């Protein structure tokens, strides 16, 4: 029972496959808005808050995770499931502004804290068990976060249609509690590994934040998430607009979300595993940014035609963006350990995830602003994303690419 699969990989998947369902938001956001009588824009802030609290709780949870992964995994389990169940109650019994506030509190704040602590908890444990394959290890765990959308989306749609939106949250809240609590019970660091409490005193936030390599990693991580959320959170609407005049092809739309979710998961395991065979793990980010701005550019060139080729390119665009989005997450811990070592990896990883918090606010809301300013032109979103991917590539080449000796801070 005491091996890397039982004590690290399986519990990590149980936790991440549960909390990763946050990316199913587009599946039920319109149903929530209709049920409580508010706009989808107002309701959409619940998702932004969830990602914000995910990133910020991870940023401050590093010390807790380093000290006691069992305490942090239990905190995550409780917060996430309370957020799910509380959201269901609010939807069922409240309307209008009070309902919005309740959803912001339960889905945005409480569940968001569960997301952040749960996301961070298994990562160092996996890298300790898989010491020679850190990319593969983090890819396994973080793949679960991306795979959750592909698994949960059809289940959520079935539960919504059969039992209603509130019941969906109740049923899944109970299911995810069982999964996360099982992960909590199984998760263990390798036998004989003990955290040195004196090392915690050596960690200096200010020195880390002034390190140009760390700043570069934070920026490219932020830009990858920001651009990804610009497109991923409007995936359903982009597909609807693209295939609106092709009635014979509209049925494709129902399959694409599962396909892109699978790409998200594949990017998480694929890119991170590939990084294990690279001398410099930052090369993965260079590949991600190059592929993403290239597909954006090609799609925009063919957008003037509006023909079948353009529609195929839109689907390809969403697939490649999801691949890179997922890969950026899973490669991050291994890149950080390559640059800064393992001693403070949970704290450093957590602080870097604050970029996720900021991108959670800026990503989908940037798209909302663009759509309002252009009368619903989704190609403008692709144009902005293209420019930002180019900026990210330049930052990666300038600040992150050189593999120097371990950075001291």
């Amino acid at each position: 029972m005491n091996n890397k699969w039982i004590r690290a990989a399986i519990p990590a998947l149980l936790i991440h496959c549960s909390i990763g369902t946050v990316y199913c938001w587009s599946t039920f956001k319109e149903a929530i808005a209709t049920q409580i009588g508010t706009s989808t824009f107002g309701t959409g802030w619940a998702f932004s808050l969830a990602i914000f609290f995910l990133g910020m709780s991870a940023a401050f949870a590093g010390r807790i995770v380093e000290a006691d992964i069992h305490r942090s995994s239990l905190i995550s389990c409780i917060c996430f499931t309370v957020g799910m169940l509380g959201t269901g109650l609010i939807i069922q019994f409240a309307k209008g502004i009070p309902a919005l506030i309740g959803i912001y509190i339960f889905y945005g704040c409480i569940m968001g804290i569960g997301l952040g602590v749960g996301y961070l908890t298994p990562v160092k444990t996996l890298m300790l068990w898989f010491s020679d394959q850190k990319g593969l290890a983090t890819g396994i765990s973080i793949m679960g976060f991306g795979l959750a959308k592909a698994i949960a989306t059809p289940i959520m749609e079935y539960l919504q249609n059969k039992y209603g939106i509130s019941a969906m949250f109740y049923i899944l809240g109970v299911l995810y509690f069982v999964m996360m609590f099982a992960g909590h019970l199984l998760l263990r660091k390798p036998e004989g590994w003990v955290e040195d409490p004196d090392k915690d005193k050596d960690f200096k936030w200010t020195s880390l934040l002034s390190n140009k390599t760390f700043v570069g990693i934070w920026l490219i991580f932020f830009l990858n998430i920001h651009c990804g959320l610009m497109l991923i959170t409007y995936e359903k609407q982009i597909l609807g607009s693209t295939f609106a005049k092709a009635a014979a092809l509209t049925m494709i739309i129902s399959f694409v979300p599962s396909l892109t979710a699978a790409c998200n998961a594949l990017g998480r395991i694929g890119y991170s595993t590939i990084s294990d065979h690279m001398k410099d793990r930052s090369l993965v980010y260079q590949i991600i940014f190059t592929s993403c701005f290239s597909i954006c550019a090609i799609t925009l060139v063919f957008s003037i035609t509006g023909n079948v080729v353009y529609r195929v390119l839109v689907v390809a665009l969403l697939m490649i963006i999801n691949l890179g989005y997922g890969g950026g997450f899973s490669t991050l811990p291994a890149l950080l350990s390559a640059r800064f070592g393992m001693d403070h990896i949970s704290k450093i990883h957590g602080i870097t995830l604050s970029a996720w918090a900021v991108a959670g606010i800026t990503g989908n809301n940037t798209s909302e602003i663009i759509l309002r300013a252009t009368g619903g032109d989704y190609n403008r979103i692709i144009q902005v994303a293209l420019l930002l991917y180019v900026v990210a590539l330049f930052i990666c080449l300038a600040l992150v690419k050189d593999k120097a000796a371990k950075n001291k801070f």
Side-chain angles (χ1 to χ4, degrees):
M1 288 289 288
N2 197 31
N3 63 66
K4 61 186 179 182
W5 299 104
I6 300 297
R7 294 305 188 185
I10 290 175
L13 284 171
L14 287 169
I15 293 170
H16 275 208
C17 280
S18 300
I19 62 178
T21 54
V22 68
Y23 280 122
C24 296
W25 175 252
S26 64
T27 305
F28 49 78
K29 68 178 181 181
E30 292 177 353
I32 293 177
T34 301
Q35 182 76 13
I36 65 175
T38 61
S39 68
T40 54
F41 176 73
T43 308
W45 275 95
F47 175 80
S48 297
L49 288 170
I51 300 300
F52 176 79
F53 277 96
L54 185 163
M56 295 312 296
S57 62
F60 291 100
R63 293 179 186 274
I64 298 173
V65 173
E66 293 276 8
D68 190 345
I69 58 170
H70 293 106
R71 180 172 58 179
S72 64
S73 60
L74 185 60
I75 290 171
S76 172
C77 176
I78 292 171
C79 288
F80 183 77
T81 52
V82 166
M84 289 284 288
L85 296 172
T87 300
L89 286 169
I90 291 296
I91 293 170
Q92 183 174 356
F93 295 108
K95 300 287 183 184
I97 299 301
L100 268 184
I101 294 172
I103 292 171
Y104 291 165
I105 292 171
F106 280 102
Y107 194 94
C109 177
I110 298 174
M111 198 180 87
I113 292 171
L115 290 168
V117 177
Y119 186 90
L120 193 61
T121 292
V123 174
K124 181 175 182 177
T125 300
L126 278 160
M127 289 196 289
L128 291 173
W129 279 103
F130 293 79
S131 58
D132 296 326
Q133 297 173 298
K134 292 184 176 69
L136 171 64
T138 55
I140 290 171
S141 173
I142 297 171
M143 176 189 68
F145 199 92
L147 195 60
K149 181 183 175 185
I151 296 171
T153 295
I155 296 172
M156 287 182 168
E157 289 177 346
Y158 171 79
L159 292 175
Q160 280 185 75
N161 294 333
K162 189 170 181 64
Y163 301 107
I165 186 72
S166 295
M168 181 199 79
F169 278 100
Y170 299 149
I171 294 168
L172 292 179
V174 173
L175 174 63
Y176 293 140
F177 176 82
V178 173
M179 290 172 60
M180 295 181 73
F181 194 71
H184 157 72
L185 295 176
L186 289 172
L187 191 65
R188 293 282 189 282
K189 289 183 180 177
E191 190 172 348
W193 178 271
V194 179
E195 297 291 347
D196 184 354
D198 292 332
K199 286 183 179 179
D200 190 59
K201 300 175 183 177
D202 299 332
F203 183 76
K204 296 180 177 61
W205 285 51
T206 51
S207 297
L208 178 67
L209 297 177
S210 62
N211 183 292
K212 71 174 185 179
T213 301
F214 175 79
V215 172
I217 293 172
W218 193 99
L219 287 172
I220 64 171
F221 185 58
F222 163 76
L223 287 169
N224 193 44
I225 301 170
H226 175 89
C227 293
L229 288 177
M230 284 177 64
L231 292 158
I232 292 170
T233 54
Y234 281 87
E235 185 176 281
K236 186 175 181 180
Q237 291 77 13
I238 291 171
L239 290 169
S241 173
T242 303
F243 289 92
K245 296 180 181 179
L249 300 175
T250 52
M251 62 180 299
I252 294 175
I253 298 175
S254 62
F255 297 103
V256 173
S258 294
L259 180 62
T260 56
C263 288
N264 196 316
L266 180 62
R268 291 168 192 260
I269 188 69
Y271 276 124
S272 59
T273 302
I274 290 170
S275 75
D276 282 333
H277 305 284
M278 293 178 173
K279 292 183 178 180
D280 184 357
R281 292 182 191 268
S282 72
L283 181 58
V284 166
Y285 285 93
Q286 296 173 41
I287 294 170
I288 289 171
F289 298 141
T290 301
S291 63
C292 287
F293 81 68
S294 296
I295 190 63
C296 285
I298 295 169
T299 303
L300 288 169
V301 169
F302 281 89
S303 65
I304 58 174
T305 66
N307 59 17
V308 174
V309 174
Y310 169 64
R311 297 185 186 108
V312 170
L313 285 170
V314 168
V315 174
L317 167 73
L318 294 173
M319 291 172 64
I320 291 172
I321 295 297
N322 272 276
L323 281 167
Y325 183 82
F329 279 104
S330 59
T331 308
L332 177 66
L335 174 61
L336 290 170
S337 69
R339 294 297 192 269
F340 300 102
M342 285 291 292
D343 288 345
H344 303 289
I345 190 63
S346 291
K347 292 188 280 290
I348 297 171
H349 186 205
I351 294 168
T352 312
L353 291 177
S354 65
W356 197 358
V358 180
I361 297 295
T362 62
N364 60 319
N365 288 309
T366 297
S367 293
E368 182 70 25
I369 292 169
I370 292 170
L371 291 173
R372 290 190 174 195
T374 61
D377 186 351
Y378 291 101
N379 284 328
R380 296 293 185 182
I381 297 175
I382 299 173
Q383 289 175 2
V384 173
L386 186 157
L387 293 173
L388 292 177
Y389 279 125
V390 173
V391 171
L393 178 61
F394 277 114
I395 293 172
C396 188
L397 292 171
L399 298 179
V400 182
K401 74 164 187 173
D402 293 328
K403 185 178 180 182
K406 293 287 191 300
N407 286 266
K408 301 297 181 182
F409 51 88

